[in-house]
């Protein structure tokens, strides 16, 4: 099953303006450019009142000092920064590899940063990255923090949000609607005769929206509410084993489990085997991600495939084009998803 793959109409993003300048900060604060520079670089040389006025202007405008200013000011960095939630799992690896390969052909190098699944570190990391003026920033997910959005919009740096969807992107976006994905999986399981559904999920925001879409679809189809277990992200094989045990303790009659990652699903398969639960006759198992072992594990894992390679290649093309002064005709694309049915769910 393939969700909508149509490109959406470009939305206003405010990206036609250059980066916020020191002069703009000075004008807002009502001081000279030299005073702004001193307040930022040598704050002990200005009064507390002046520092506060400059800081208010910096915060309001989203200004970040250019750490590459000086002799390198006129040169591009030829570096693109990609931020992913975790480096320990393979889910985002396909996108990062495709992004790296495609950008290398255009003369760019990729630096990868890990932001985790909590947002507490995101703004500080973004400020450090923007200050070094990469030629592009690729985000996993969409930016919700008002400060982060302000920083990125003010920077003048091309930004691509991935793996998610919003009607208010910062700049460019290629992703998918996770609520629709969760609903599609529920409908797929019900179409194959499953009625007593369960869900095992990590606690990140995208997984939570898939869970909500799954539960909403079950209600719409007249089923009892799915039995749910929510945990931490990233998820592990051990989480899958413990999760199935907990689900069965809550509802011994469940006949299908949708997992928020293939690693969770692998743990479910292992626990089901140890409990002599026949998959898929007694229990259907559906994962998410279609990572490399999904096709070769026994039974082969049914899962949801996201085209990470296309995501990375598209992000690379957009950033390289923008760095070369070219326009991006369709900067917002819903890449969709595909349900891959294998023997764990037949």
């Amino acid at each position: 099953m393939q969700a909508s793959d149509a490109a959406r109409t470009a939305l206003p993003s405010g990206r036609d303006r250059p980066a916020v300048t020191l002069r703009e900060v000075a004008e807002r604060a009502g001081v000279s450019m030299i005073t702004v520079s001193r307040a930022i670089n040598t704050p002990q040389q200005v009064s507390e009142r002046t520092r506060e006025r400059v800081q208010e202007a910096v915060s309001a405008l989203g200004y970040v000092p250019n750490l590459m200013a000086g002799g390198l000011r006129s040169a591009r960095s030829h570096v693109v920064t990609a931020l992913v939630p975790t480096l320990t799992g393979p889910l985002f690896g396909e996108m990062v590899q495709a992004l790296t390969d495609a950008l290398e052909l255009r003369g760019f190098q990729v630096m990868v940063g890990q932001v985790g699944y909590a947002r507490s570190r995101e703004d500080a990391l973004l400020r450090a990255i923007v200050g070094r003026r990469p030629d592009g920033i690729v985000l996993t997910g969409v930016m919700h923090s008002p400060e982060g959005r302000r920083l990125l919009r003010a920077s003048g740096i091309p930004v691509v949000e991935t793996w998610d969807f919003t009607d208010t992107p910062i700049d460019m976006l290629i992703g998918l609607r996770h609520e629709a994905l969760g609903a599609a999986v529920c409908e797929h399981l019900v179409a194959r005769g499953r009625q007593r559904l369960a869900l095992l999920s990590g606690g990140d925001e995208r997984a939570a929206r898939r869970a909500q879409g799954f539960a909403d679809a079950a209600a719409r189809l007249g089923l009892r509410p799915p039995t749910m277990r929510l945990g931490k992200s990233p998820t592990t094989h051990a989480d899958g084993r413990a999760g199935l045990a907990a689900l069965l303790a809550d509802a011994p009659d469940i006949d299908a489990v949708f997992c928020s990652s293939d690693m969770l699903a692998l743990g479910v398969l292992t626990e089901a085997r140890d409990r002599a639960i026949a998959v898929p006759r007694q229990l259907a198992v559906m994962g998410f991600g279609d990572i490399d072992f999904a096709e070769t594990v026994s039974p082969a894992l049914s899962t949801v495939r996201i085209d990470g390679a296309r995501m990375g290649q598209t992000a690379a093309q957009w950033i390289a084009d923008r760095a070369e002064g070219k326009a991006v005709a369709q900067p917002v694309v819903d890449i969709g998803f595909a349900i891959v049915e294998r023997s764990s769910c037949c």
Side-chain angles (χ1 to χ4, degrees):
M1 171 182 170
Q2 181 71 35
S4 171
D5 196 34
R8 290 176 56 86
T9 303
L11 300 174
S13 67
R15 304 298 299 178
D16 55 348
R17 62 153 295 153
V20 173
T21 65
L22 193 73
R23 183 182 298 279
E24 290 174 87
V25 175
E27 290 174 352
R28 184 179 181 98
V31 298
S32 70
M33 292 171 61
I34 292 176
T35 300
V36 172
S37 180
R38 286 174 178 165
I40 293 172
N41 298 308
T42 54
Q44 69 276 10
Q45 294 185 9
V46 300
S47 69
E48 182 177 351
R49 176 180 170 81
T50 299
R51 286 199 305 272
E52 289 174 353
R53 287 165 61 187
V54 170
Q55 185 54 51
E56 185 280 330
V58 166
S59 179
L61 295 173
Y63 175 75
V64 177
N66 187 349
L67 302 182
M68 295 183 67
L72 299 179
R73 189 178 185 99
S74 63
R76 295 209 313 261
S77 69
H78 295 280
V79 169
V80 173
T81 301
L83 299 182
V84 296
T86 177
L87 298 173
T88 61
L91 181 60
F92 305 108
E94 183 181 32
M95 182 197 75
V96 172
Q97 188 63 58
L99 177 76
T100 301
D101 292 345
L103 282 171
E104 186 176 10
L105 294 174
R106 302 283 291 268
F108 297 84
Q109 299 298 318
V110 174
M111 296 181 64
V112 180
Q114 177 176 286
V115 295
Y117 284 96
R119 294 196 189 129
S120 56
R121 298 167 47 201
E122 201 167 49
D123 288 344
L125 183 57
L126 280 175
R127 185 171 288 277
I129 290 168
V130 168
R132 285 159 176 80
R133 291 299 190 270
D135 285 331
I137 298 174
V138 178
L139 303 176
T140 302
V142 298
M143 176 60 59
H144 296 285
S145 157
E147 181 181 355
R149 291 179 65 86
R150 189 161 56 242
L151 283 175
L152 291 171
R153 283 183 178 275
S155 70
I157 298 169
V159 175
V160 182
E161 294 163 287
T162 65
W163 280 95
D164 209 341
F165 213 87
T166 176
D167 292 327
T168 57
I170 293 170
D171 184 6
M172 299 172 283
L173 182 150
I174 179 165
L176 64 140
R177 299 177 186 274
H178 290 268
E179 297 91 342
L181 188 157
V185 169
C186 179
E187 293 163 1
H188 179 87
L189 293 171
V190 171
R192 279 143 186 80
R194 308 294 169 162
Q195 296 287 311
R196 301 178 300 279
L197 307 182
L199 182 135
L200 188 59
S201 177
D204 65 276
E205 181 184 1
R206 289 178 293 280
R209 290 210 302 278
R210 293 195 294 273
Q212 188 62 56
F214 188 80
D216 290 347
R220 188 171 63 251
L221 294 170
L223 303 181
R224 75 185 191 190
T227 304
M228 293 192 177
R229 282 280 170 166
L230 307 180
K232 59 179 175 59
S233 294
T235 53
T236 66
H237 178 270
D239 293 333
R241 295 200 65 168
L244 179 59
L247 289 171
L248 291 170
D250 291 341
D253 64 340
I254 58 173
D255 61 6
V257 181
F258 174 36
C259 301
S260 68
S261 74
D262 285 349
M263 190 60 71
L264 274 180
L266 180 61
V268 167
L269 291 177
T270 303
E271 186 68 17
R273 183 190 61 206
D274 279 6
R275 290 170 176 258
I277 297 172
V279 176
R281 183 173 59 81
Q282 293 173 268
L283 183 70
V285 180
M286 175 76 69
F288 172 82
D290 198 23
I291 58 181
D292 55 4
F293 65 73
E295 188 172 10
T296 57
V297 70
S298 181
L301 180 63
S302 295
T303 186
V304 183
R305 167 87 175 138
I306 311 299
D307 194 345
R310 180 183 168 199
M311 206 179 295
Q313 290 162 359
T314 302
Q317 179 181 336
W318 287 348
I319 287 174
D321 284 351
R322 287 278 295 277
E324 295 168 3
K326 301 175 183 176
V328 174
Q330 292 180 308
V332 180
V333 173
D334 184 343
I335 200 171
F337 55 86
I339 294 178
V340 181
E341 186 169 70
R342 299 190 179 105
S343 52
S344 75
C345 203
C346 295

